[in-house]
Amino acid sequence: HYAKNQGRNNFQLYNPEVHSQKRENLIINELKQAVSKEELSLYFQPKITVKSMQAEEAEVLLRWNSEKLGMISPGEFIPIAEKNGLIVEISEYVLRSAFKQLKEWEDTEFPICCLAINISPVHFQYGNIYQMLVGLIEDYQVDPSKVELEITETSVMKNIDQAVQTLESLRELGFRIALDDFGTGLSSLNYLQQLPIDTLKIDRTFVNDLDQDTTKQAIVKTVIQLANHLGAKVTVEGVETKQQAHMLQLLHCDHLQGYYFYKPMPCRQLEKVCDGEKVHM
Ligand code: C2E
Ligand code: MG
Ligand code: MG
Ligand code: MG
């Protein structure tokens, strides 16, 4: 009826901006009910500890199977949720579910030692992330050192002083802090030296072609040196081939993550993967 209202030969129906606005509205409507309808679930992508060559940690990645719209990737719905504030409720759902899972593993002596959780810049800057996490520690009695919070450069750029303060108080609680997608934002080495971080997570754009591209090799090498200097560990995401994995191992990265090892998977599958067996390359 939209086209009819606009008259014949109306190009607006085919205007990609209008289309994407329509889709965005659809997504907002469905997303508002996604938590209560239990359409969101947590997937886990194992990270390999290079020293032991075992899967000992995992990153939590959100999945949304909408009754009306089907599977929608976080790359699409997270930015929309950030625009209208829905992200805080979603973020709380992710954090609560992850803490619940850690508690369950602790009770069953499951060997997984750490979960990395992505924190939206919007939640980090405007939601009360600190209070939320304090509440979750109380509710689940989980050791915060088992949680690594993945923040991005966007989270800290606008107000570096406040970001440093928040990160320091989170670290005092025992959380580990990772800087995600490192190298893709408007990186400034100036703020990097101020940030209290435990892990630098090198973006996957530096990994594709790594085995052929000597400039990328130099960048990765330099970032590892820099991280060492800052006392931070290095995780590399997006490892897709044996050659890349081998090269990154030689460069002394601490953790490797990517489709070459494991894709994101449901919880029950993760429990089978983190069984203390060495991963063969
Ligand atoms: P990210 O945190 O940088 O996560 C890495 C993304 O790369 C994930 O996509 C993962 O599935 C994908 N990936 C992992 N290994 C490989 C590989 O070897 N090759 C390629 N091509 N891709 C790989 P996903 O799950 O679609 O998530 C996309 C982004 O959405 C995440 O980027 C993160 O920024 C955001 N996101 C996901 N879950 C959450 C969440 O619970 N909260 C928040 N705030 N953001 C989330
Ligand atoms: Mg991440
Ligand atoms: Mg990343
Ligand atoms: Mg990324």
Side-chain angles (χ1 to χ4, degrees):
H1 66 282
Y2 180 74
K4 242 188 227 160
N5 291 343
Q6 300 294 314
R8 279 169 141 256
N9 301 327
N10 192 299
F11 71 90
Q12 275 196 42
L13 192 62
Y14 305 102
N15 181 329
E17 266 174 45
V18 172
H19 172 82
S20 73
Q21 189 55 53
K22 266 180 93 179
R23 176 156 170 95
E24 190 168 322
N25 291 339
L26 267 175
I27 287 180
I28 293 170
N29 275 333
E30 296 307 307
L31 199 53
K32 278 180 187 159
Q33 314 159 53
V35 172
S36 61
K37 283 167 84 182
E38 295 180 22
E39 292 179 345
L40 298 175
S41 57
L42 269 49
Y43 265 50
F44 302 85
Q45 188 180 31
K47 292 195 252 176
I48 311 301
T49 306
V50 173
K51 253 189 200 154
S52 62
M53 283 314 276
Q54 289 172 2
E56 296 173 337
E57 309 189 7
E59 177 178 6
V60 174
L61 292 161
L62 190 56
R63 293 294 176 259
W64 178 25
N65 192 358
S66 158
E67 188 191 346
K68 275 219 184 109
L69 305 169
M71 287 297 295
I72 302 187
S73 81
E76 184 172 15
F77 73 81
I78 296 277
I80 294 173
E82 285 172 334
K83 271 204 256 176
N84 55 41
L86 276 173
I87 189 66
V88 178
E89 186 193 351
I90 291 171
S91 211
E92 178 164 19
Y93 171 80
V94 171
L95 287 166
R96 186 169 291 283
S97 309
F99 271 65
K100 212 186 265 177
Q101 192 58 66
L102 281 166
K103 177 73 186 144
E104 193 191 306
W105 284 333
E106 215 171 272
D107 292 344
T108 56
E109 287 170 38
F110 182 73
I112 194 151
C113 64
C114 181
L115 279 183
I117 308 174
N118 289 290
I119 301 297
S120 151
V122 176
H123 189 201
F124 183 82
Q125 292 173 90
Y126 308 109
N128 202 340
I129 186 100
Y130 180 83
Q131 284 311 326
M132 194 182 276
L133 287 166
V134 167
L136 289 169
I137 296 172
E138 273 175 26
D139 290 351
Y140 295 99
Q141 302 291 316
V142 158
D143 175 2
S145 70
K146 296 206 162 137
V147 178
E148 185 162 81
L149 303 170
E150 292 193 5
I151 60 155
T152 56
E153 293 160 302
T154 333
S155 293
V156 297
M157 267 168 8
K158 278 216 184 104
N159 190 339
I160 179 85
D161 293 336
Q162 201 194 315
V164 169
Q165 215 184 332
T166 306
L167 292 176
E168 268 167 1
S169 53
L170 290 171
R171 261 177 133 201
E172 269 163 36
L173 291 174
F175 290 104
R176 294 199 272 146
I177 309 294
L179 194 56
D180 199 2
D181 301 336
F182 183 71
T184 58
L186 298 164
S187 313
S188 153
L189 298 175
N190 178 44
Y191 74 64
L192 193 58
Q193 65 167 357
Q194 298 180 58
L195 287 178
I197 50 165
D198 301 276
T199 304
L200 262 187
K201 211 168 169 187
I202 301 180
D203 193 72
R204 67 165 181 264
T205 47
F206 296 100
V207 182
N208 58 44
D209 290 335
L210 182 73
D211 27 324
Q212 284 112 43
D213 189 332
T214 52
T215 305
K216 281 186 182 171
Q217 289 167 22
I219 292 174
V220 171
K221 227 183 214 169
T222 308
V223 172
I224 292 169
Q225 278 172 1
L226 179 64
N228 285 340
H229 189 78
L230 296 168
K233 303 253 184 221
V234 175
T235 300
V236 181
E237 63 176 19
V239 181
E240 290 184 353
T241 69
K242 189 180 180 140
Q243 288 87 341
Q244 292 164 359
H246 190 63
M247 182 161 276
L248 291 162
Q249 194 182 23
L250 292 176
L251 290 173
H252 300 292
C253 296
D254 299 287
H255 295 97
L256 301 179
Q257 187 182 18
Y259 294 167
Y260 173 66
F261 297 104
Y262 300 105
K263 290 196 169 170
M265 55 182 69
C267 176
R268 295 286 93 93
Q269 205 177 325
L270 176 74
E271 291 171 350
K272 286 184 193 139
V273 162
C274 298
D275 58 357
E277 291 283 306
K278 272 196 196 314
V279 174
H280 293 285
M281 294 215 329

